[in-house]
Amino acid sequence: MPLAPTDEIVRPAALAGRGVGAFNVVQLEHAEAIVTGAEAARRAVVLQISENTAKYHGALAPLAHATLAVARAARVPVAVHLDHAESAALAHEAVQLGFSSVMFDASKLPYDENLAATAAVTEHCHRHGVWVEAELGEVGGKDGAHAPGVRTDPAEAREFVAATGVDALAVAVGSSHAMLTRDAVLDFALIGELRTSVPVPLVLHGSSGVGDDDLRRAVAAGMTKVNVATHLNKAFTAAVREQLAERPETADPRTYLGPARAAVAREVEHLLNVLATDAG
């Protein structure tokens, strides 16, 4: 199946009031697991590679090529997305590599500088047919750069989207990156206000810290793209620990990476079904 444009996955879901799962790839096993889970759920999915992961590997291209290959071989629509790029050059590289979309994060900058930098990246991406996500309002927990408790202002969000031309907006509504427990307290009323104010799909970052019921409520309130990384990494690492505890003499990484990959696939299937379920 050809690589899916992110817009063709996210926009119909936004119109239908469904959520879209966007899961972070750290290594090849993650990409394989996420697609396996999406195929089991028979739902479209977004594979994401972050700037931090590109730095971990020393470059974006190697993991990008592998992830794009996994996406193109999938039996469900799969988009490949650059997550939390603070570098315009990296965003440009992702476009050149064939990514479906990029998330340009200039939220550390003062508002006017964020707007100008985001508008420039958006113009470049749109010239190449690539969808753009940006961030306004700081989501806590990422590298200590974002202040917990900050919230996105609906009026400012509307102005920002109009001025930059972005296709989706990540907003701060109470979640935080890298949470190991699923007890984040979301501001559902604010999500509803943002949904009314902003004419593009909303993105929930830090969703690993949000429980299943609140994920459903967030989608019902107006969230569409739901980003998950830490929750999958917890499942992956727990499976590795279990395998090594049972077989301390093991030397072949396939003996523990395989079960870890399967554990992530199960979580992806579960979460995709959660996001497609009415909050009722």
Side-chain angles (χ1 to χ4, degrees), residues 98-252:
F99 279 50
S100 309
S101 54
V102 304
M103 187 267 187
F104 183 63
D105 180 4
S107 62
K108 291 180 184 176
L109 300 176
Y111 176 81
D112 288 344
E113 294 178 35
N114 181 358
L115 190 154
T118 302
V121 168
T122 301
E123 192 276 333
H124 176 84
C125 290
H126 284 178
R127 276 194 282 114
H128 293 84
V130 172
W131 188 90
V132 181
E133 173 188 334
E135 180 172 314
L136 187 65
E138 297 170 342
V139 180
K142 190 172 190 298
D143 298 335
H146 297 264
V150 173
R151 297 291 184 268
T152 302
D153 176 76
E156 191 173 68
R158 182 174 58 249
E159 294 168 1
F160 183 84
V161 168
T164 59
V166 297
D167 303 292
L169 189 67
V171 291
V173 294
S175 57
S176 182
H177 291 98
M179 285 187 68
L180 296 174
T181 56
R182 301 182 75 193
D183 53 5
V185 179
L186 299 184
D187 188 334
F188 296 103
L190 177 57
I191 295 173
E193 290 179 43
L194 288 163
R195 174 68 280 149
T196 300
S197 300
V198 178
V200 298
L202 300 178
V203 184
L204 183 65
H205 285 229
S207 304
S208 292
V210 183
D212 288 354
D213 288 343
D214 280 355
L215 286 176
R216 293 187 187 95
R217 287 185 65 193
V219 171
M223 283 291 177
T224 301
K225 181 171 175 280
V226 176
N227 289 13
V228 179
T230 301
H231 182 68
L232 298 188
N233 291 338
K234 282 179 60 182
F236 189 98
T237 303
V240 170
R241 287 195 178 108
E242 181 180 353
Q243 292 297 314
L244 291 177
E246 291 177 0
R247 301 172 182 81
E249 74 288 349
T250 191
D252 186 344

